[in-house]
Amino acid sequence: MADVNQMPMTTLSPNDTEYHLHRVMIPVMGILFGLFFTLVVLAKVFNQNIPLKSLCLGISGLQIFLTVFLWFNYLWFYNPMFLFFAAFTIYSILRNDDQSLFWSIILSIFCGLFLSGHLIIITGNPTNFVDSILSFYGNECWEFYNYYNDFRIPTHKTLCEGYVNFLAIVGYVLLLIQPIQAVFLYLLRQSHVSV
């Protein structure tokens, strides 16, 4: 049996990581979010009492929590937008105003379109947010985190590219929660208007 300390450290290339991310994570997380979304919508259709305010506040809190990790990469300048959208959503839920809930829905749709790469006018880049994060491999990653490009220290490469993989997962979760948040805010607004 080989000694673990003497085994060579290998990391996945950006293409391998993206392939495995798309192959495993997209179906699994899509199914989980889809089941959760379907259960909430079905419960709402059958007039079950659902704490929509708590769900929307939880999703906005999750968005604020996840954007903390995105401050520490080269796409940090998008974070004020994510934080503003989540803070405005929390404000509009607590205010319980029809107009502010409407604008929160619009901002959630805008944020979802932005993350999925459909706002080429603003970003100038047709790729989605996750692929933009995954393009941060190699020398750019080492230079941003002030690591020297020294292959004799494999932990630098592993730490840097591992954090980029983690940021890709965070970006994908942010991408998935935007449409769910928009629909829950719409349901909350409809229940507010009908009361």
Side-chain angles (χ1 to χ4, degrees):
M1 185 158 183
D3 185 16
V4 176
N5 294 330
Q6 294 181 5
M7 294 179 74
M9 295 189 72
T10 59
T11 57
L12 297 173
S13 71
N15 293 333
D16 292 339
T17 302
E18 187 174 3
Y19 170 74
H20 290 297
L21 182 73
H22 288 281
R23 188 174 141 245
V24 175
M25 192 173 146
I26 290 177
V28 169
M29 289 190 68
I31 288 170
L32 290 177
F33 277 106
L35 284 174
F36 176 69
F37 173 73
T38 304
L39 288 174
V40 169
V41 170
L42 284 176
K44 187 68 177 170
V45 167
F46 292 117
N47 293 326
Q48 298 295 322
N49 190 10
I50 300 172
L52 282 174
K53 267 188 179 179
S54 300
L55 285 174
C56 292
L57 286 172
I59 290 173
S60 297
L62 177 66
Q63 183 175 348
I64 288 174
F65 175 72
L66 291 176
T67 55
V68 169
F69 299 109
L70 293 174
W71 280 106
F72 306 109
N73 72 354
Y74 77 109
L75 296 173
W76 65 269
F77 47 86
Y78 292 130
N79 278 348
M81 177 183 70
F82 299 140
L83 286 174
F84 170 74
F85 290 171
F88 184 77
T89 301
I90 290 172
Y91 167 75
S92 65
I93 291 168
L94 294 177
R95 187 173 176 204
N96 205 15
D97 179 30
D98 187 40
Q99 281 298 105
S100 59
L101 285 174
F102 171 76
W103 285 109
S104 292
I105 294 168
I106 298 297
L107 290 176
S108 292
I109 292 171
F110 174 80
C111 193
L113 289 174
F114 176 78
L115 286 169
S116 63
H118 291 291
L119 295 179
I120 301 170
I121 297 169
I122 295 173
T123 61
N125 190 0
T127 60
N128 62 25
F129 193 67
V130 176
D131 291 336
S132 296
I133 290 173
L134 286 175
S135 69
F136 190 52
Y137 276 94
N139 292 332
E140 294 175 6
C141 187
W142 292 317
E143 290 171 6
F144 185 81
Y145 294 114
N146 202 16
Y147 284 137
Y148 294 104
N149 192 358
D150 189 1
F151 288 106
R152 294 174 293 172
I153 307 173
T155 56
H156 287 183
K157 182 177 180 183
T158 306
L159 284 174
C160 197
E161 293 179 357
Y163 189 64
V164 170
N165 290 337
F166 172 71
L167 290 177
I169 292 170
V170 167
Y172 185 68
V173 170
L174 280 173
L175 176 65
L176 279 178
I177 65 173
Q178 296 309 314
I180 293 172
Q181 184 177 19
V183 171
F184 287 173
L185 286 169
Y186 174 75
L187 292 173
L188 181 65
R189 183 172 181 258
Q190 289 302 105
S191 67
H192 181 259
V193 169
S194 65
V195 171

